[in-house]
Amino acid sequence: GAGVSQSPSNKVTEKGKDVELRCDPISGHTALYWYRQSLGQGLEFLIYFQGNSAPDKSGLPSDRFSAERTGGSVSTLTIQRTQQEDSAVYLCASSPYQGLGAVVVAKNIQYFGAGTRLSVL
Amino acid sequence: KNQVEQSPQSLIILEGKNCTLQCNYTVSPFSNLRWYKQDTGRGPVSLTIMTFSENTKSNGRYTATLDADTKQSSLHITASQLSDSASYICVVSPARWGFGNVLHCGSGTQVIVLP
């Protein structure tokens, strides 16, 4: 089946504008993660969803960042009043199950989308 | 087809034992390869980063190797501990950070360490 789909693949915006990034996870995957990678940096965790709820929002860099997930499927990451330091690749990943345990160990794998390249001018 | 393939998909080992995870990639040209550890529900933590000229890099009980000719990397965990239970993700960066380039991430290997 289809993998994790992110849109747009590339986004160029002006400083101060709002942007919305979209992630379509693999159908049936309950967990969804957002990361970003800035130039020369490692992956930075932003937020994850279990179903529609986000138990861990600790990674969001500021209150300009927000994310939501509806219907346990599509998620959107919104960045308000973008700054140049927001320029990065934003990655989304989904996983069939959130948790450890021998029964579900084979399912706790994250499948990554190709990312959205955001450039703030 | 994913340009970064990891194996095995999952792995169960006993505490104190060693294990090796594999990462094969086709990304070219290639800049660097990173291994991350991700605990359930947490963000990934960088373990090692290697450029094409480096063959091995260690971080405590974690040792990564890289063969840029065969495009293969491995992550070896020595004397495993219960806290090593996590997902290990291989991430490859293309050589040129240009407009439109994205990271290539493997699907991860889930490691469970049993007492």
Side-chain angles (χ1 to χ4, degrees):
Chain A
V4 177
S5 178
Q6 291 187 245
S7 61
S9 56
N10 295 290
K11 177 71 176 179
V12 181
T13 189
E14 293 180 328
K15 178 181 175 181
K17 300 289 186 183
D18 298 348
V19 295
E20 190 173 275
L21 312 181
R22 177 188 169 102
C23 174
D24 280 276
I26 294 174
S27 177
H29 282 196
T30 58
L32 186 147
Y33 299 77
W34 281 100
Y35 304 90
R36 74 175 177 181
Q37 180 162 18
S38 303
L39 182 62
Q41 303 297 313
L43 282 177
E44 177 187 4
F45 169 73
L46 298 178
I47 189 171
Y48 96 95
F49 291 89
Q50 181 60 27
N52 290 335
S53 64
D56 187 356
K57 300 181 180 180
S58 61
L60 293 177
S62 74
D63 58 7
R64 295 186 295 104
F65 287 73
S66 62
E68 65 175 14
R69 189 180 185 195
T70 56
S73 180
V74 173
S75 176
T76 54
L77 176 69
T78 302
I79 309 173
Q80 296 177 309
R81 305 181 302 280
T82 53
Q83 303 294 313
Q84 289 182 330
E85 59 263 28
D86 298 335
S87 297
V89 175
Y90 289 81
L91 290 164
C92 174
S94 71
S95 179
Y97 193 85
Q98 180 64 37
L100 285 177
V103 175
V104 297
V105 60
K107 297 182 180 179
N108 195 18
I109 300 292
Q110 292 188 34
Y111 297 83
F112 282 81
T116 293
R117 168 72 178 210
L118 176 65
S119 299
V120 182
L121 304 180
Chain B
K1 178 174 168 59
N2 195 358
Q3 295 192 50
V4 180
E5 298 285 349
Q6 289 188 243
S7 62
Q9 185 180 31
S10 59
L11 177 63
I12 299 176
I13 58 174
L14 294 177
E15 185 178 13
K17 299 296 185 182
N18 304 334
C19 68
T20 301
L21 316 179
Q22 297 291 339
C23 174
N24 297 339
Y25 62 93
T26 58
V27 178
S28 181
F30 153 80
S31 173
N32 62 73
L33 184 148
R34 306 166 189 254
W35 281 95
Y36 288 87
K37 175 188 177 187
Q38 183 167 24
D39 294 310
T40 300
R42 307 296 298 274
V45 173
S46 179
L47 296 177
T48 63
I49 174 172
M50 291 180 290
T51 63
F52 69 90
S53 61
E54 296 177 289
N55 300 119
T56 185
K57 185 71 70 75
S58 291
N59 179 356
R61 294 179 296 100
Y62 300 100
T63 300
T65 65
L66 174 65
D67 186 334
D69 292 329
T70 62
K71 295 185 170 57
Q72 296 180 326
S73 176
S74 66
L75 180 69
H76 187 76
I77 305 176
T78 303
S80 61
Q81 300 177 359
L82 298 179
S83 59
D84 292 331
S85 295
S87 180
Y88 293 83
I89 304 169
C90 175
V91 180
V92 180
S93 296
R96 290 182 295 273
W97 184 266
F99 195 85
N101 278 351
V102 294
L103 298 176
H104 299 274
C105 305
S107 296
T109 293
Q110 181 70 50
V111 174
I112 286 190
V113 181
L114 300 178

